[in-house]
Amino acid sequence: MNAEEKLPTSPTAHAPSRRSVLTTAGAAALAAPLGMTALGSQARAASGTQTQADAVDVIVIGAGIAGVTTARELTAKGLSTLVLEARDRIGGRAWTSTFAGEQVEMGGTWVDERQPNIWREVQRYGWDLTSDIIPTRAVAPTATGYMESTPTDVYNQQSQLITPLFEGSEQYFERPYEPLFREDLLADLDPLSMRDRLDQMRYSPDEEALISGGIGGLTGSASTIGLTTMAHWWALSGWTFDDYAATSTYRPVVGSTAMAQAILDDSTATLRLNSPVASVADDGTSVTVTTKSGETHTARAVVLAIPVNLWNSIDFAPSLPTEYTALSTDGIGVRSSQKFIMHVRGANLDAFYAEAAPGAPVAMVIPFKERSDGNIMIGFSSNGSFDPSNRTRLQAELQPFCEGIEVVAVKAQHWGNDPYSAGGWAVRRPGLLTGPFRAVQQPQGRVVFAGSDIANGWAGFMDGAVESGFTASVQASQILGL
C-alpha cells in the first residue's frame, strides 16, 4: 500500500477485538513515541579525529528512524552519504534497552498494518511481532475518583463517547495522507483545541472524566492539543474506534533499535556517532556542517533529520525563516513527556490497566509481562515535574490503581530533558496544520528537513519517521538534479 492510498474502513465492532482489549483505552497509548548502546555491525562507523573530511553527496544529521531511512534511500540512488549522530547510539526517540532482565522500549514501540510505511519495513525485513499481555482489570477516572471495571466495559463506554468527537472527519480528512487536501473545510476546525471540542459535546462530568486521559493526557491538557491532530489519527486509523484504539498493540520482537540498525545496514552510508552538530552553512553550491568538536564536513546537500524542537540548537547560515525558528521554539515534541518501566509486586497485584486525568503524575499504566516475582509494567506521564525514578513517590501514585502495590525498581526516560530530543511524542497544537506546518516541510536552499514530527501521515510515530525519510530522500535527490 502506498502512503497516498486511502485506508479502508473496518466494520464497526459491537465488542472490542483482541487488539483493542490489549489497549483498552488505546487513545492515550497512541501518544507513546518513538537501549541497546551495543549496536550491531558498525563496520562502516568512522571514528577518526580529522578536522576536515572529504566531501560527500549528502550529509544526514540524525540517525533516528527518519535519518537511517533517508540514508538507505539516498545510497540506493548511488549517492555517497554521511550520517552524523549526536548520541552514542542510533534510533533517536526509538530506543531499545534492558530492565529487570527484559528487553524494553524506552521510546517508539508499536507498529500496525494501518501504518503502511513502517508495515512495509516489517514485511521487508521479516520482523516477527509480539504483543503485551491482555489486561484483566481496568481503572478509569470519574468526576470524583476512580472506577474499576472490566476492560471490555471501559472500552465500550469510551467508544460511545469518543466516536462522536470526530464526526465529519471522513470529509475534512478525506485523504488522510494528504491532510490539507480539504483545507477549505479545515479553516474553522484547525484553530480548535480538544478542549473546545469537549465543550461543544456537553458531556456530563463523569462522561468527560472517563475519556479525559485519552483526550488530554498527551500533553497534560486538552487545551494544548489540536482537534485536527486527533481527528487526523482517527482518519488514519480508518475512522473507527476499534482500529484507533488498537494501533498500539504489536511490536517487533527485535526491538526498535535493531529495526533502525537493519535499515542502516541496508545502506552504504558512513556513520559517525558522538557528533552533535553546531552549525550548517549553505553557500548556494555546497553545505558545510561543523560539529561541536570542531570537525567540518562538506556535502552538496544536507538532510536535517532531528526533532523540530532541536532546530534552534544549530546555527544556520543563512538563517532559517521565521516559520522554522518559531515552530522550534513552540515545539512539537511534548517537552514534559516521560516513559518509564516498572517492576512491581503486591498481594493484590494483577494485570491491570489504568488511566488518570490529564496532568496527573502517572497518566497511564499498561501491563507488559507477568512473572513469578511480580509484574513488569509500562507507565507514561506528561507531568514534567514528576520524577518516576523516585520509587516512594511513584508507589504512592499507583495506590489508587492497585492497593498495596510495591515498586521494586523503575527505569525512566524524560524525553524533554534529553538534550538530543528536547521532547517526546509529537502533538500539533491548534492552528499548526493550516499554519506553518506545510511551510516547514519544504527545503531551504540545499537543506532538507525530515522527521516524524513533520510527516503528512502518522506524525509522531515510527511510521511517520519512515514516510518522512522517503520524502527527504526525494527532495535531496531533486536538489542534486537526479
Side-chain angles (χ1 to χ4, degrees):
M1 178 183 293
N2 294 323
E4 293 80 9
E5 293 178 337
K6 183 177 178 180
L7 298 175
T9 302
S10 298
T12 302
H14 295 290
S17 66
R18 178 178 180 276
R19 294 199 311 152
S20 298
V21 173
L22 281 167
T23 49
T24 307
L30 281 171
L34 302 179
M36 299 180 191
T37 55
L39 301 176
S41 172
Q42 291 290 351
R44 298 182 309 281
S47 58
T49 58
Q50 71 269 27
T51 59
Q52 176 67 49
D54 292 336
V56 295
D57 290 319
V58 184
I59 294 173
V60 177
I61 302 173
I65 299 292
V68 296
T69 300
T70 304
R72 182 189 65 188
E73 297 307 303
L74 289 172
T75 60
K77 300 174 188 289
L79 297 170
S80 58
T81 304
L82 170 66
V83 180
L84 299 177
E85 168 56 45
R87 294 182 171 94
D88 62 356
R89 62 172 180 85
I90 67 170
R93 286 174 288 183
W95 172 27
T96 309
S97 186
T98 56
F99 170 75
E102 306 287 347
Q103 176 180 292
V104 296
E105 299 293 340
M106 302 306 299
T109 303
W110 295 284
V111 300
D112 191 82
E113 59 189 340
R114 289 193 176 277
Q115 298 176 330
N117 297 286
I118 193 66
W119 197 253
R120 183 175 57 244
E121 302 300 316
V122 170
Q123 295 176 318
R124 176 174 182 162
Y125 296 105
W127 292 321
D128 292 330
L129 303 178
T130 187
S131 59
D132 303 331
I133 61 175
I134 299 175
T136 56
R137 178 172 61 93
V139 182
T142 70
T144 56
Y146 290 96
M147 71 170 191
E148 292 188 13
S149 186
T150 67
T152 299
D153 285 344
V154 171
Y155 171 90
N156 287 333
Q157 293 179 62
Q158 292 187 327
S159 177
Q160 293 174 9
L161 294 170
I162 288 177
T163 298
L165 287 170
F166 308 118
E167 182 180 355
S169 59
E170 295 89 343
Q171 286 75 48
Y172 60 83
F173 282 132
E174 177 184 342
R175 299 183 184 179
Y177 287 92
E178 299 176 50
L180 293 171
F181 176 70
R182 292 304 309 269
E183 188 172 2
D184 58 314
L185 300 181
L186 294 173
D188 294 331
L189 294 173
D190 196 41
L192 300 179
S193 69
M194 286 307 303
R195 177 69 265 165
D196 295 327
R197 184 60 174 147
L198 287 171
D199 290 343
Q200 291 175 349
M201 300 302 295
R202 299 182 182 276
Y203 291 126
S204 72
D206 278 335
E207 288 174 334
E208 182 172 316
L210 182 61
I211 62 173
S212 62
I215 301 303
L218 303 174
T219 63
S221 171
S223 298
T224 56
I225 303 172
L227 165 61
T228 59
T229 293
M230 300 197 75
H232 191 196
W233 291 335
W234 181 267
L236 289 162
S237 302
W239 297 282
T240 71
F241 185 80
D242 191 43
D243 289 311
Y244 177 75
T247 306
S248 302
T249 297
Y250 295 115
R251 51 187 169 83
V253 174
V254 298
S256 62
T257 298
M259 292 163 60
Q261 188 67 51
I263 295 172
L264 182 63
D265 284 345
D266 223 2
S267 78
T268 57
T270 298
L271 169 68
R272 283 184 176 273
L273 299 173
N274 302 303
S275 299
V277 169
S279 64
V280 174
D282 179 358
D283 66 9
T285 58
S286 66
V287 186
T288 299
V289 176
T290 305
T291 68
K292 291 185 177 180
S293 65
E295 277 195 358
T296 60
H297 305 273
T298 304
R300 294 194 290 148
V302 164
V303 175
L304 188 70
I306 62 175
V308 167
N309 294 17
L310 293 176
W311 288 354
N312 287 345
S313 68
I314 296 175
D315 291 329
F316 288 89
S319 300
L320 294 180
T322 302
E323 295 96 332
Y324 295 75
T325 57
L327 185 58
S328 184
T329 298
D330 292 342
I332 291 183
V334 177
R335 300 184 195 276
S336 57
S337 56
Q338 302 186 69
K339 184 177 182 180
F340 44 98
I341 318 296
M342 304 167 284
H343 178 197
V344 297
R345 62 189 178 194
N348 300 316
L349 183 63
D350 58 355
F352 70 91
Y353 170 97
E355 200 174 295
V362 177
M364 180 181 177
V365 176
I366 60 176
F368 176 74
K369 186 175 184 179
E370 291 182 297
R371 307 195 317 187
S372 59
D373 61 346
N375 291 356
I376 305 299
M377 305 197 73
I378 304 171
F380 298 91
S381 177
S382 56
N383 185 321
S385 63
F386 174 59
D387 179 10
S389 63
N390 182 328
R391 289 190 296 132
T392 301
R393 173 75 189 281
L394 175 59
Q395 189 167 292
E397 294 295 337
L398 295 175
Q399 291 300 316
F401 308 144
C402 182
E403 186 177 359
I405 192 172
E406 176 188 356
V407 178
V408 180
V410 62
K411 180 169 187 170
Q413 170 66 5
H414 192 311
W415 286 103
N417 289 343
D418 186 320
Y420 301 126
S421 64
W425 44 81
V427 175
R428 291 196 300 259
R429 57 175 170 74
L432 196 158
L433 180 60
T434 56
F437 189 74
R438 178 167 42 199
V440 301
Q441 292 177 317
Q442 305 308 310
Q444 287 295 310
R446 292 181 171 269
V447 180
V448 175
F449 298 82
S452 179
D453 293 349
I454 58 172
N456 274 324
W458 288 96
F461 294 76
M462 291 191 290
D463 186 83
V466 174
E467 175 212 313
S468 184
F470 273 92
T471 300
S473 69
V474 171
Q475 292 175 330
S477 297
Q478 291 172 340
I479 289 172
L480 300 185
L482 299 183

